[in-house]
């Protein structure tokens, strides 16, 4: 018997700690060099290899008397468990990440600034819903031209299926996706196909079931966000909580070879310490990037509209490399769908889309009617670059948080959807697709859960309907998240890809991605090399990308969103060349103009 597994655990309030390994109890002792940490007592040995285990904690409760009362916990899963084979409420299981034979030693991730991202949910990306089955689609993604896949959270959650944002076992890969070995196989296979992997991680809250962290230490502090109790980043005992997060970052980079992170809702990270947790995460990623020689990165989801999010920490920023940009989504969504309810109301003009091409944030100190206050601040074009903003027409939130989970192509014509795709692939920011968007998937992507607790399931379903009051969506269209069919109907139907309009959409996306990659003007990082014009009256939008500021020559994206033929300005050039047309070939008979049929778009070199 050898102690292959240290079984160290942080439990600073425990009086005694015991680890139960394969049914046998082993006493633990405190680590003098690491206060609050426990390890196997001297002379104790636990079974080597793969074993099941859990912790028993004895706590001391001071009730204001001269007596102490002890309470022994049930067997608890490890806060840093690497596997939960029978669910998040059961025993943990050891996993040795070093057993996997990687083949990606020569892999170097592509630059984010030149990349196209593809967000996918492993459970609904394929019929099987596993990471191994997703490997079978990598040739398809490579053919499409995708540079990175961005995986929704994969850590352990309660129930058979979930979006991933109810995770409670942050160090695991959920067994429904195939567990940690399947994750390693997936990343290795992606790298072999020239595709990087971005992992979506949630450090701002935990799910409502299976969270045992408070029994071990002060992982939470008073207060709550929209998603639950606040993570303790700055209160008593927060050093250990921050270490828990930072070690998790290192785990994904070293044990699973991920290339970057998408950090969920960082505005919900309540942290008043002198160095914000985001800065420390950025430092961990930078350290690993230097150690490996790989260009690793962080992308924050933030609705603060604060450019300090993506300014280096040494320049008094938060140090994130990039951020999601909801304002551009909202402006584009209104432009291509005409929806103006709820938070879309502020964007009810093509000039909103036009503004964001130059300022990134639409609300950059302006009044936000949805928030009832002024919001955001202006960017300094000399400090940040367009590639640092990740933009999209659809993502898991903007589709899944609609009442019926309907996609953009469910509410607009194919022609209009192709206009939107043309804009997405020629706008200045880093584009991201949501799985199925590239072929106009007929399937919705709805909010689904599988909480075994009936009361919790009912509460989630009722809360779901209450969320949609401000958007004026019909409650009757909201599916029951707990109904297994809600999950099943959200799975992609791959037989559609090469059928009719689906194939037309796929071909357009593939051609547009190739055009973006092969046209230097379309990835220019100079804010001054963009020019725009738009007309609300005639419903058209023109974006010009130039190799140098105020050049007569460049690449023009012209979009006619009206139901009539329109002549749009080319903003320079006297011999336009059509690089892409979404429908009927554009007319070039009028000098300085391009004539477009209704609901069509074209990309032209001028």
């Amino acid at each position: 018997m050898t102690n292959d597994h240290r079984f160290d655990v942080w439990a600073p309030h425990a009086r005694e700690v015991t680890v139960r390994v394969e049914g046998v109890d082993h006493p633990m002792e405190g680590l003098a060099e690491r206060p609050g940490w426990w390890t196997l007592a001297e002379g104790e040995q636990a079974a080597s290899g793969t074993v099941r285990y859990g912790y028993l904690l004895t706590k001391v409760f001071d009730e204001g008397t001269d007596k102490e009362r002890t309470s022994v916990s049930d067997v608890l899963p490890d806060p840093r468990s690497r596997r939960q084979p029978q669910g998040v409420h059961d025993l943990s299981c050891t996993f040795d990440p070093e057993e996997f034979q990687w083949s990606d030693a020569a892999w170097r991730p592509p630059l984010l600034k030149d990349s196209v991202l593809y967000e996918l949910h492993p459970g609904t990306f394929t019929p099987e819903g596993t990471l191994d089955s997703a490997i079978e689609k990598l040739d398809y993604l490579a053919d499409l031209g995708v540079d990175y896949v961005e995986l929704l959270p994969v850590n352990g959650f309660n129930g058979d299926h979930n979006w991933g944002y109810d995770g409670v076992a942050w160090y695991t890969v959920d067994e429904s996706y195939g567990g940690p070995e399947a994750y390693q196989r997936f990343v290795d296979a992606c790298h072999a196909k020239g595709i990087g992997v971005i992992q979506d991680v949630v450090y701002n809250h935990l799910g409502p079931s299976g969270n045992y962290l408070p029994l071990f230490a002060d992982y939470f502090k008073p207060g709550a966000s929209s998603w639950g109790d606040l993570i303790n980043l700055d209160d008593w005992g927060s050093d250990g909580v921050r270490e828990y997060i930072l070690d998790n970052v290192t785990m994904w980079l070293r044990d699973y070879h991920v290339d970057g992170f998408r950090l969920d809702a960082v505005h919900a990270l309540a942290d008043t310490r002198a160095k914000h947790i985001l800065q420390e995460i950025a430092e961990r990623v930078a350290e690993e990037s230097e150690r490996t020689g790989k260009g690793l990165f962080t992308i924050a989801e933030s609705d603060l509209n604060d450019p300090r999010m993506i300014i280096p920490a040494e320049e008094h920023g938060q140090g994130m490399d990039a951020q999601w940009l909801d304002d551009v989504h909202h402006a584009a969504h209104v432009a291509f769908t005409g929806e103006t309810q709820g938070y879309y109301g502020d964007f009810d003009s093509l000039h909103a889309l036009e503004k964001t091409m130059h300022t990134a944030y639409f609300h950059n100190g302006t009044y936000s009617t949805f928030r009832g206050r002024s919001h955001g601040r202006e960017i300094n074009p000399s400090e940040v670059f367009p590639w640092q903003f990740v933009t999209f027409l659809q993502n898991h939130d903007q589709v899944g948080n609609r009442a019926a989970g309907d996609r953009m192509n469910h509410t607009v014509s194919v022609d209009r959807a192709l206009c939107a795709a043309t804009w997405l692939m020629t706008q200045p920011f880093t584009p991201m697709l949501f799985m199925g968007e590239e072929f106009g998937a007929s399937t919705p992507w709805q909010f689904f859960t599988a909480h075994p607790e009936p009361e919790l399931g009912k509460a989630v379903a009722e809360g779901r309907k209450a969320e949609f009051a401000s958007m004026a969506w019909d409650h009757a269209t909201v599916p029951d998240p707990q109904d297994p069919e809600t999950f099943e109907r959200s799975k992609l139907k791959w037989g559609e890809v090469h059928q009719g309009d689906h194939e037309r959409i796929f071909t357009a996306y593939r051609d547009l991605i190739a055009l973006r990659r092969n046209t230097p003007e379309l990835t220019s990082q100079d804010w001054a090399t963009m020019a725009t014009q738009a007309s609300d009256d005639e419903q058209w939008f023109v974006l010009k990308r130039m190799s140098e500021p105020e050049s007569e020559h460049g690449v023009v994206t012209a979009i006619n969103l009206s139901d009539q033929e329109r002549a749009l300005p080319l903003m320079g050039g006297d011999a336009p060349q059509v690089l892409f047309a979404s429908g009927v070939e554009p007319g070039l008979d009028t000098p300085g103009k391009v004539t477009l049929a209704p609901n069509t778009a074209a990309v032209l070199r001028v």
Side-chain angles (χ1 to χ4, degrees):
M1 301 265 287
T2 60
N3 180 16
D4 285 348
H5 309 290
R6 288 180 57 88
F7 295 109
D8 293 352
V9 65
W10 184 53
H13 300 309
R15 177 185 171 190
E16 295 176 351
V17 180
T18 300
V19 59
R20 180 171 294 171
V21 183
E22 296 293 343
V24 179
D25 288 353
H26 301 267
M28 304 186 77
E29 59 186 13
L31 280 168
E33 68 275 17
R34 299 184 72 191
W37 280 86
W38 297 76
T39 192
L40 282 175
E42 186 175 353
E44 285 294 321
Q45 292 181 327
S48 61
T50 302
V51 296
R52 303 287 300 281
Y53 70 100
Y55 294 104
L56 295 94
L57 309 180
T58 301
K59 289 192 174 183
V60 177
F61 294 88
D62 182 4
E63 296 182 331
T65 69
D66 56 359
K67 294 183 179 181
E68 294 179 338
R69 179 171 62 85
T70 62
S71 173
V72 181
S73 71
D74 295 329
V75 183
L76 303 173
D78 184 358
R80 296 184 180 225
S81 171
R82 302 300 293 268
R83 282 194 65 197
Q84 292 295 129
Q86 293 180 292
V88 295
H89 292 290
D90 212 288
L91 291 173
S92 299
C93 181
T94 56
F95 168 71
D96 184 358
E98 296 184 5
E99 289 186 359
F100 185 76
Q101 299 298 310
W102 292 92
S103 65
D104 66 348
W107 165 256
R108 293 296 178 269
L111 295 175
L112 184 60
K113 79 177 185 68
D114 296 326
S115 295
V116 173
L117 280 49
Y118 186 96
E119 187 185 34
L120 69 85
H121 174 263
T124 51
F125 183 58
T126 64
E128 300 84 359
T130 65
L131 289 161
D132 283 323
S133 63
I135 291 174
E136 299 174 9
K137 298 298 182 185
L138 294 182
D139 283 334
Y140 164 87
L141 293 178
D143 178 54
L144 177 62
V146 167
D147 298 290
Y148 283 98
V149 293
E150 182 174 307
L151 293 173
L152 267 66
V154 298
N155 49 284
F157 49 78
N158 191 33
D160 296 328
H161 50 261
N162 195 278
W163 272 21
Y165 297 91
D166 286 333
V168 290
W170 284 0
Y171 282 70
T172 67
V173 174
D174 197 79
E175 296 293 312
S176 66
Y177 300 147
E181 290 182 11
Y183 193 98
Q184 290 177 316
R185 290 192 293 270
F186 177 78
V187 175
D188 201 45
C190 282
H191 290 171
K193 298 294 184 183
I195 298 173
V197 178
I198 301 168
Q199 183 55 59
D200 191 340
V201 289
V202 184
Y203 295 138
N204 60 72
H205 75 281
L206 283 94
S209 180
N211 173 20
Y212 294 97
L213 294 184
L215 299 178
F216 285 88
D218 301 308
Y219 282 91
F220 297 90
K221 66 180 180 181
S225 70
S226 301
W227 298 281
D229 296 337
L230 294 178
I231 303 294
N232 177 20
L233 298 172
D234 55 5
D235 212 335
W236 181 274
S238 59
D239 283 358
V241 180
R242 296 168 82 95
E243 184 180 21
Y244 183 69
I245 292 172
L246 295 172
D247 288 351
N248 186 255
V249 168
T250 301
M251 178 201 78
W252 287 113
L253 295 171
R254 293 191 176 182
D255 295 348
Y256 297 108
H257 292 202
V258 304
D259 303 294
F261 296 96
R262 182 261 189 189
L263 298 157
D264 181 66
V266 298
H267 45 273
L269 296 169
D271 183 7
T272 60
R273 287 172 65 154
K275 180 183 284 188
H276 197 281
I277 187 64
L278 290 177
Q279 296 177 22
E280 294 198 74
I281 290 173
E283 287 177 356
R284 281 288 177 104
V285 174
E287 290 168 4
E288 193 66 14
S289 186
E290 184 173 352
R291 187 185 74 84
T292 60
K294 299 176 182 178
L296 311 173
F297 54 84
T298 54
I299 302 172
E301 182 202 15
S302 170
D303 75 349
L304 300 177
N305 284 18
D306 186 349
R308 287 175 294 191
M309 184 62 61
I310 52 176
I311 290 174
E314 57 268 24
E315 298 175 20
H316 308 293
Q318 299 291 39
M320 297 289 98
D321 295 295
Q323 72 150 100
W324 273 25
L325 188 53
D326 279 346
D327 276 17
V328 169
H329 166 270
H330 299 344
H333 186 86
V334 173
F336 295 112
T337 70
E339 291 185 0
T340 58
Q341 66 268 40
Y343 52 73
Y344 292 137
D346 288 349
F347 302 86
D348 188 15
S349 169
L350 286 170
H351 296 294
L353 184 62
E354 184 182 14
K355 175 184 177 179
T356 60
M357 297 298 95
H358 303 280
T359 64
Y361 305 127
F362 176 76
H363 285 303
N364 54 358
T366 59
Y367 187 78
S368 165
T369 58
F370 181 72
R371 296 176 177 90
R373 59 171 175 80
S374 298
H375 186 66
R377 62 185 295 177
E378 293 184 355
I379 65 167
N380 182 338
S382 66
E383 292 181 333
V384 298
F385 299 95
W387 70 264
Q388 293 183 275
F389 299 94
V390 175
T391 51
F392 31 79
L393 290 165
Q394 304 176 53
N395 63 35
H396 75 274
D397 273 331
Q398 302 301 339
V399 175
N401 282 329
R402 294 173 65 83
D406 50 315
R407 298 168 178 267
M408 179 184 284
N409 57 283
H410 297 170
T411 57
V412 302
S413 67
V414 172
D415 288 335
R416 184 65 73 97
L418 291 180
C419 287
T422 305
W423 165 82
L424 179 66
M425 288 304 155
T426 57
Q427 48 85 34
F429 310 113
T430 297
M432 185 181 77
L433 314 183
F434 179 61
M435 62 177 197
E437 170 187 339
E438 76 282 1
F439 63 88
S442 68
T443 51
W445 202 73
Q446 299 175 328
F447 181 70
F448 45 80
T449 55
H451 297 300
E453 304 91 342
E455 291 185 2
L456 177 58
K458 181 181 179 183
V460 169
E462 292 176 350
R464 186 71 180 164
K465 292 188 176 183
E467 288 179 17
F468 299 123
S470 65
M471 301 301 287
W473 282 324
D474 183 0
H475 284 190
T477 66
V478 181
D480 180 0
Q482 288 284 107
D483 184 348
E485 283 302 309
T486 304
F487 171 64
E488 291 298 326
R489 74 171 67 95
S490 297
K491 293 188 176 186
L492 294 177
K493 295 179 180 178
W494 285 98
E496 295 179 340
V497 176
H498 298 298
Q499 295 178 353
D501 286 335
H502 297 293
E503 184 169 38
R504 180 186 170 200
I505 295 172
F506 172 79
T507 300
Y509 267 92
R510 184 178 58 188
D511 291 349
L512 284 163
I513 291 172
L515 179 64
R516 182 181 182 88
R517 176 171 288 110
N518 297 321
T519 308
E521 291 93 337
L522 297 183
T523 53
S524 169
Q525 293 302 304
D526 186 343
W527 294 93
T529 59
M530 285 178 280
T532 56
Q533 291 185 32
S535 171
D536 281 332
D537 291 337
E538 295 191 351
Q539 284 292 287
W540 54 258
F541 175 85
V542 177
L543 168 65
K544 183 178 181 182
R545 309 289 303 281
M546 298 165 283
S547 57
E548 57 185 42
E550 300 183 5
S551 172
E552 185 176 291
H553 301 287
V555 175
V556 170
T557 299
I559 304 174
N560 177 15
L561 296 173
S562 76
D563 293 327
Q564 301 177 39
E565 184 179 272
R566 299 288 191 198
L568 281 61
L570 286 174
M571 292 191 285
D574 54 7
Q577 173 193 1
V578 178
L579 302 178
F580 174 85
S582 70
V584 178
E585 279 294 310
L588 299 174
D589 296 334
T590 305
K593 300 274 189 177
V594 56
T595 302
L596 295 178
N599 289 298
T600 62
V603 184
L604 309 99
R605 182 170 291 284
V606 299

